[in-house]
Amino acid sequence: MLVVEGLANKSLVETTSDAIVKLIVDNEYPVGQKLPNEYELSQLLGVSRNTVREAIRALVSRNVVEIRRGAGTFVSQKMGIADDPLGLTFIKDKEKVFLDLIQVRFLLEPAIASWAAQNATAGEIETLGQLCDEVEQQLLAGENPVKKDIEFHTQIAKCSKNTVVPNLIPIINAAITVFTNIEENKVVSKTIEHHREIFEAIKTRRPHDAQDAMLLHLSYNRNKLRKSMHLKETSFLK
């Protein structure tokens, strides 16, 4: 039976959930790795199959694992990161949310881009280039680029080699999603230009240029939103 430290005053389901997380961490299960089945976990952890079932349900709600019907239980791509870690869903003024998140992004993303230019592997840079191309293709085709745009920024974070940065991605993703909703998915040629400049700076190992390109990208997004907000206010006054 796996032993998990510091489990006093926890229920059996909670201790079992923690033991499954420990199993994932200790065995370095990657995203998409299939977990032992319900019977195997019950034998390994020394608990009933019903307890394992409830523990798995709890981990699904925490985005640690996901259940694929007919296939089993797998490590979730979200790796335990909440869908809305800052509770932004409950803030009505989405434009204010975006401006505030942009401030946070100004603190984080230029440095992340700089680290990426210094630390990215050739394989990671190749993946980043593919994502840059895919975002560009979707923008030019008038398609919604949100998913690929998020993947692009996520890949930059992975390239940084900072172990904490990937867990900050939900903040960045939230800002991107809010911005896209406000702009009604309009094609923005500047986005293509900025993404390309960021990618090229990372590819050619120019950390200062990568940082500057990201600053330019964020400044453009912020200024565009402010202009949009001003136009709405003017229209309302008329």
Side-chain angles (χ1 to χ4, degrees):
M1 179 176 179
L2 288 177
V3 177
V4 181
E5 301 294 336
L7 300 182
N9 301 319
K10 288 191 175 183
S11 69
L12 183 58
V13 170
E14 289 175 322
T15 59
T16 302
S17 295
D18 289 342
I20 294 173
V21 170
K22 187 174 188 298
L23 176 71
I24 293 171
V25 173
D26 289 350
N27 289 279
E28 298 183 348
Y29 284 179
V31 169
Q33 173 70 46
K34 184 177 181 180
L35 271 61
N37 62 36
E38 191 177 281
Y39 174 76
E40 292 169 335
L41 285 173
S42 69
Q43 294 297 305
L44 178 64
L45 303 178
V47 296
S48 70
R49 293 178 66 174
N50 183 61
T51 299
V52 169
R53 195 174 303 120
E54 292 299 318
I56 290 296
R57 287 175 182 168
L59 292 177
V60 168
S61 69
R62 290 165 50 191
N63 289 333
V64 175
V65 300
E66 60 183 35
I67 297 173
R68 301 176 190 171
R69 187 170 298 179
T73 303
F74 299 79
V75 177
S76 172
Q77 186 175 11
K78 297 177 181 178
M79 294 293 286
I81 299 174
D83 292 328
D84 184 19
L86 301 180
L88 302 180
T89 300
F90 300 97
I91 301 177
K92 186 176 180 179
D93 189 346
K94 299 304 181 185
E95 292 177 344
K96 179 63 165 62
V97 168
F98 177 77
L99 289 174
D100 289 347
L101 279 170
I102 276 289
Q103 290 182 328
V104 175
R105 293 183 69 188
F106 268 106
L107 294 174
L108 299 175
E109 292 197 68
I112 292 172
S114 176
W115 298 336
Q118 298 173 67
N119 301 320
T121 65
E124 289 170 337
I125 291 174
E126 182 179 356
T127 299
L128 185 63
Q130 291 171 352
L131 289 169
C132 188
D133 291 339
E134 290 171 3
V135 172
E136 181 174 336
Q137 290 166 8
Q138 290 187 342
L139 284 167
L140 292 175
E143 299 174 0
N144 189 332
V146 174
K147 184 176 179 181
K148 286 299 177 182
D149 192 54
I150 288 174
E151 289 181 22
F152 177 77
H153 285 269
T154 300
Q155 183 63 18
I156 292 174
K158 291 178 180 177
C159 290
S160 75
K161 292 297 188 293
N162 183 294
T163 57
V164 177
V165 163
N167 292 329
L168 299 176
I169 289 301
I171 299 174
I172 299 172
N173 289 357
I176 294 170
T177 302
V178 170
F179 177 65
T180 304
N181 288 339
I182 290 172
E183 294 302 319
E184 300 176 345
N185 303 322
K186 294 178 181 177
V187 175
V188 183
S189 60
K190 283 293 183 181
T191 298
I192 296 175
E193 179 184 334
H194 294 164
H195 277 199
R196 186 62 58 185
E197 288 175 353
I198 294 167
F199 166 67
E200 291 297 336
I202 292 173
K203 178 182 177 181
T204 53
R205 309 292 183 182
R206 293 180 285 119
H208 292 301
D209 289 343
Q211 178 172 304
D212 289 345
M214 185 63 78
L215 279 169
L216 178 64
H217 180 50
L218 294 175
S219 297
Y220 176 78
N221 287 349
R222 179 182 60 187
N223 293 339
K224 184 169 184 181
L225 177 68
R226 284 176 171 169
K227 181 178 179 181
S228 174
M229 293 170 65
H230 175 71
L231 289 175
K232 287 180 180 180
E233 290 174 358
T234 302
S235 176
F236 177 77
L237 290 175
K238 289 180 180 179

